[in-house]
Amino acid sequence: MSISKFCFIATALSLVTFTTNAKIYLTDDISLSGFGSTSITQSNNSTPLYINREISDNTCYDCDTTFGLQGDIQFTDQFNASVQVVKRPQDNWSSPELEWAYLGYNVSDFDLKIGRLRLPLFLSSEYYYVGQAYTSARPPQEVYSSILGITSYDGISGTWDIEINDENYLAITPYFGIESESDVNIGSARYHFTIEKSTGLSTELSGFDYRIIFNYTHSKFALDLNEKPYLNNSINIFTLGAEYSLERWILTSEVLIDEMHFNWYSSLAYNIDKFTPYVTYAESHHNQKNNSLLLGVRFDLTTTVSLNAEWKYTDANGGDSGELITDPIDGDTDAQLYTVMLNFIF
């Protein structure tokens, strides 16, 4: 196998948060790593696109700006800790978000974590803000924005790693979340979520050239709109995702189903040395109706820096919100989105 093919598969399958050699080891047991993204992007529609980004027909230089730092400590062979702080696209530099902070205990094939943890809904959940870790400039918004940008929970998880044979592995992770709060701004509306409790089960089957994930989450929540009580409800979320590589090709597909959504996408990429062109088609149904086509190319300047150039056409299917996060201005329900994005890790 060529080195370029091996590097492509390792990046595409993204089995770790980001490349190990990008870490800075302060001591033998303490490491620091970081990541970031920035872009120039513009739509031809004055109605904002994307929750937490709000890209419109004004050229935007900070709609995707992300910067994160992660610290890891290995206390003993069994005990460890990790903290990740991220300035997300919707955050001010003065108020980044604590994305995770947990204590871990590992014995044999069992890994226990307690604290603030990443919600394991998607293929890219573990490295959601690390743009260098996936092929496209952003993960497909039809699926990844359907839970309004909620990416973490406070609670406990336990993972059993099962070796099926020399080439195939199964990870089973039940998890439980205690009460937590989150805010989401959509246009002029401010939504405040109080998630009373969450329970879930995440599974991942993986081998050298594939990953398959399945997740089920049940949550009870209260929702305030513009500081007024709006909704008390529960939700059941099912997600299924798969990645498969064949020679230089990689196919990725995910689907999310809950009481309000049936959203999915499929993506095909092909690696040519430092270039990876890709195409993605996605649809949203039920509460949000949308379909989109994305064409792009990724260029790996180095092993730690990449550049994406993308064109995306999205159609809100006659006026339902879709990726247009407010009512369409002047009745325009479709948009073309242009993006040039720089990603890096260290």
Side-chain angles (χ1 to χ4, degrees):
M1 175 180 290
S2 68
I3 293 176
S4 62
K5 178 184 174 185
F6 177 80
C7 292
F8 171 64
I9 292 173
T11 300
L13 295 182
S14 304
L15 298 179
V16 293
T17 302
F18 38 78
T19 311
T20 302
N21 62 15
K23 291 185 177 182
I24 301 169
Y25 283 88
L26 305 179
T27 70
D28 290 342
D29 301 317
I30 302 175
S31 65
L32 178 68
S33 51
F35 53 89
S37 300
T38 189
S39 72
I40 302 173
T41 188
Q42 184 177 11
S43 166
N44 68 344
N45 194 315
S46 56
T47 304
L49 283 82
Y50 297 164
I51 294 169
N52 296 326
R53 285 177 167 84
E54 301 197 8
I55 302 166
S56 68
D57 56 355
N58 293 317
T59 302
C60 187
Y61 298 93
D62 63 355
C63 289
D64 293 292
T65 301
T66 303
F67 183 78
L69 290 174
Q70 179 175 321
D72 297 283
I73 303 175
Q74 191 71 41
F75 297 110
T76 68
D77 289 342
Q78 288 77 37
F79 285 97
N80 63 86
S82 182
V83 176
Q84 186 183 97
V85 178
V86 183
K87 184 274 173 199
R88 305 169 300 172
Q90 66 267 36
D91 296 328
N92 295 320
W93 284 99
S94 59
S95 55
E97 182 73 10
L98 182 65
E99 269 297 300
W100 74 47
Y102 63 80
L103 293 173
Y105 175 75
N106 179 270
V107 57
S108 185
D109 297 325
F110 179 72
D111 186 21
L112 179 70
K113 295 178 180 178
I114 184 168
R116 174 159 294 183
L117 306 172
R118 185 61 55 78
L119 190 62
L121 286 178
F122 307 117
L123 287 166
S124 301
S125 287
E126 196 69 15
Y127 48 90
Y128 177 73
Y129 292 107
V130 188
Q132 178 72 1
Y134 42 81
T135 303
S136 58
R138 312 172 189 89
Q141 296 298 294
E142 286 89 347
V143 170
Y144 282 74
S145 287
S146 56
I147 57 170
L148 301 180
I150 297 173
T151 57
S152 61
Y153 69 98
D154 297 331
I156 187 171
S157 73
T159 300
W160 283 268
D161 291 312
I162 302 168
E163 183 178 353
I164 299 174
N165 52 44
D166 290 341
E167 297 182 354
N168 300 283
Y169 300 86
L170 176 65
I172 301 174
T173 306
Y175 56 92
F176 175 77
I178 60 174
E179 182 173 313
S180 61
E181 297 183 354
S182 180
D183 292 310
V184 178
N185 295 318
I186 303 178
S188 60
R190 181 179 180 85
Y191 294 87
H192 178 79
F193 288 87
T194 301
I195 302 174
E196 298 176 6
K197 64 177 181 179
S198 298
T199 55
L201 177 67
S202 176
T203 61
E204 178 177 318
L205 180 66
S206 61
F208 177 73
D209 56 1
Y210 76 94
R211 290 173 66 205
I212 300 172
I213 65 146
F214 172 76
N215 180 84
Y216 165 72
T217 298
H218 172 79
S219 297
K220 292 188 65 178
F221 67 89
L223 174 61
D224 296 340
L225 174 59
N226 295 332
E227 301 183 351
K228 296 180 180 179
Y230 181 68
L231 180 67
N232 284 277
N233 207 343
S234 62
I235 190 169
N236 297 287
I237 301 174
F238 299 86
T239 57
L240 176 66
E243 287 180 326
Y244 177 71
S245 65
L246 177 64
E247 297 297 329
R248 294 179 178 272
W249 294 94
I250 184 162
L251 174 66
T252 309
S253 188
E254 291 187 84
V255 59
L256 177 142
I257 302 172
D258 60 32
E259 289 85 345
M260 297 177 290
H261 304 94
F262 176 76
N263 298 356
W264 66 273
Y265 76 88
S266 287
S267 180
L268 184 65
Y270 183 77
N271 176 245
I272 311 169
D273 295 324
K274 293 185 177 183
F275 290 90
T276 306
Y278 51 90
V279 57
T280 301
Y281 179 77
E283 291 186 359
S284 303
H285 299 276
H286 301 334
N287 278 23
Q288 293 181 328
K289 297 180 180 180
N290 195 87
N291 62 277
S292 69
L293 176 66
L294 170 70
L295 301 175
V297 61
R298 167 175 165 146
F299 175 62
D300 290 293
L301 286 81
T302 70
T303 57
T304 59
V305 181
S306 65
L307 189 68
N308 286 76
E310 289 185 352
W311 167 84
K312 182 175 184 178
Y313 172 78
T314 184
D315 185 2
N317 289 325
D320 290 317
S321 57
E323 293 187 304
L324 305 175
I325 63 174
T326 62
D327 291 334
I329 299 172
D330 298 327
D332 291 334
T333 61
D334 62 348
Q336 297 187 57
L337 176 64
Y338 305 90
T339 301
V340 176
M341 183 177 291
L342 180 71
N343 299 301
F344 60 90
I345 56 175
F346 62 87

